[in-house]
Amino acid sequence: MRKIKLIVFIGIIGLLVIGGAWMYSAHKENQVANMIEKQLEDRMNREFHVTNVEEISNGGGEYYYITVEMGGVKKPFKKEMFKSAADNLPRYAIIDELWTRQYEKEVQKIVKEHPLNIKRIESNVGIVHDQDPNVDIQNLPTIEEIRKQYGKKVIYDQITLYTNYPYPTDPELQEKEDEKIFNILKDMKDRDMDNNLSLSIQYTKYTQRYEILINDYQKDKYHSPEDMKKARLKTQEEVIESNEEVQS
């Protein structure tokens, strides 16, 4: 009988410890959520709800992985941040995620206007750190509104396009690819997306990749389709070899 009572007692203690730990964890998560919500609501004229807070620890440090709902936006945002940043969020936290979504649509629209067959697009946009004009985000300005108001120098553009076909080995067909890419680049220049631009085009199975960088250190050297040869990373011999590997 004593043994049974001891087992029951230990079980109750165990449940109390587990329950106490769970309550502490839930309380801490609620505190973090409230802290983040208040900062976001103070900065932007919207209601925010942090619906999930996860703690992550790895070799790179300790993080919170949060899910945030913004009033007027259907799809919630997921963001990772250092724990130490939770009580002092980066100036453009969460709205930068909204800008990226808007930007993805803009890039997709540009690409669809050109005969380059793309299967996947990765894109990112934001404020250049050392050019930050301290944008007032109370009314959720779009990245294009910021570009128009403050100029292209304050925005960085990062775009990678993945084709659904391998790079041709025929030099004449390669020149046609040069022209397609040049026309996309020209379209981006016309939209003032070329001050801090990183544009990459990767062909299936890495048969070729174009790397285009335009910034304060690498000035624009792409003024004609012929100039796009400067952006090719692989030589003709490497292109032929890569295509042979794809076919084997």
Side-chain angles (χ1 to χ4, degrees):
M1 182 63 101
R2 285 184 179 179
K3 190 174 183 180
I4 294 174
K5 287 183 178 179
L6 180 60
I7 292 172
V8 170
F9 177 76
I10 292 173
I12 291 172
I13 294 298
L15 289 173
L16 288 173
V17 170
I18 293 170
W22 179 85
M23 289 178 65
Y24 172 76
S25 177
H27 174 69
K28 186 178 178 182
E29 288 179 9
N30 190 53
Q31 281 186 319
V32 172
N34 290 339
M35 181 168 55
I36 292 172
E37 288 169 358
K38 185 177 187 310
Q39 291 177 77
L40 295 174
E41 289 172 354
D42 286 346
R43 296 177 187 184
M44 291 172 270
N45 191 24
R46 292 292 173 98
E47 186 175 351
F48 288 87
H49 292 289
V50 176
T51 58
N52 187 54
V53 178
E54 294 180 29
E55 293 189 42
I56 302 172
S57 296
N58 55 39
E62 295 186 332
Y63 303 85
Y64 287 125
Y65 186 70
I66 63 172
T67 303
V68 182
E69 293 180 353
M70 176 192 289
V73 178
K74 289 183 178 180
K75 186 179 177 182
F77 299 96
K78 295 182 182 296
K79 193 170 185 68
E80 186 178 280
M81 66 179 68
F82 281 110
K83 282 186 177 182
S84 57
D87 61 349
N88 186 22
L89 295 176
R91 180 176 179 81
Y92 303 115
I94 300 303
I95 195 172
D96 57 359
E97 304 290 335
L98 181 62
W99 288 338
T100 295
R101 289 184 187 178
Q102 295 167 345
Y103 189 66
E104 286 172 352
K105 292 180 181 178
E106 182 184 6
V107 173
Q108 287 171 0
K109 183 179 178 181
I110 292 172
V111 171
K112 283 181 180 179
E113 295 173 355
H114 297 271
L116 195 66
N117 294 322
I118 299 298
K119 68 177 179 181
R120 182 161 61 93
I121 299 172
E122 293 178 358
S123 58
N124 189 29
V125 70
I127 306 292
V128 178
H129 181 69
D130 60 2
Q131 296 286 343
D132 188 354
N134 292 324
V135 178
D136 182 355
I137 58 175
Q138 272 287 318
N139 296 316
L140 302 184
T142 66
I143 202 68
E144 282 311 299
E145 289 171 341
I146 295 170
R147 201 189 298 270
K148 288 177 182 177
Q149 182 175 353
Y150 297 100
K152 62 183 181 180
K153 69 180 184 297
V154 306
I155 306 293
Y156 67 81
D157 299 86
Q158 298 174 339
I159 303 165
T160 302
L161 309 178
Y162 296 88
T163 74
N164 61 1
Y165 60 97
Y167 192 68
T169 56
D170 185 332
E172 289 188 7
L173 295 178
Q174 292 175 357
E175 289 179 1
K176 289 183 178 180
E177 295 300 306
D178 289 340
E179 185 174 3
K180 293 176 188 177
I181 294 170
F182 175 76
N183 288 335
I184 288 179
L185 176 60
K186 184 177 181 302
D187 204 346
M188 292 178 177
K189 289 180 181 181
D190 291 342
R191 296 169 187 252
D192 285 338
M193 298 165 66
D194 61 328
N195 191 69
N196 296 284
L197 173 65
S198 171
L199 172 62
S200 304
I201 299 89
Q202 183 163 312
Y203 288 77
T204 295
K205 302 295 183 181
Y206 198 66
T207 45
Q208 182 58 286
R209 184 178 174 98
Y210 287 69
E211 286 284 1
I212 300 158
L213 294 173
I214 302 175
N215 51 47
D216 289 343
Y217 306 100
Q218 302 198 51
K219 300 299 182 182
D220 185 5
K221 55 186 178 183
Y222 308 104
H223 308 291
S224 70
E226 179 73 16
D227 290 334
M228 301 317 301
K229 290 182 174 65
K230 303 171 186 175
R232 297 177 186 174
L233 295 189
K234 288 195 172 188
T235 65
Q236 178 67 358
E237 290 77 13
E238 289 171 329
V239 168
I240 293 172
E241 184 179 343
S242 296
N243 272 274
E244 288 175 349
E245 290 175 358
V246 170
Q247 294 170 7
S248 63

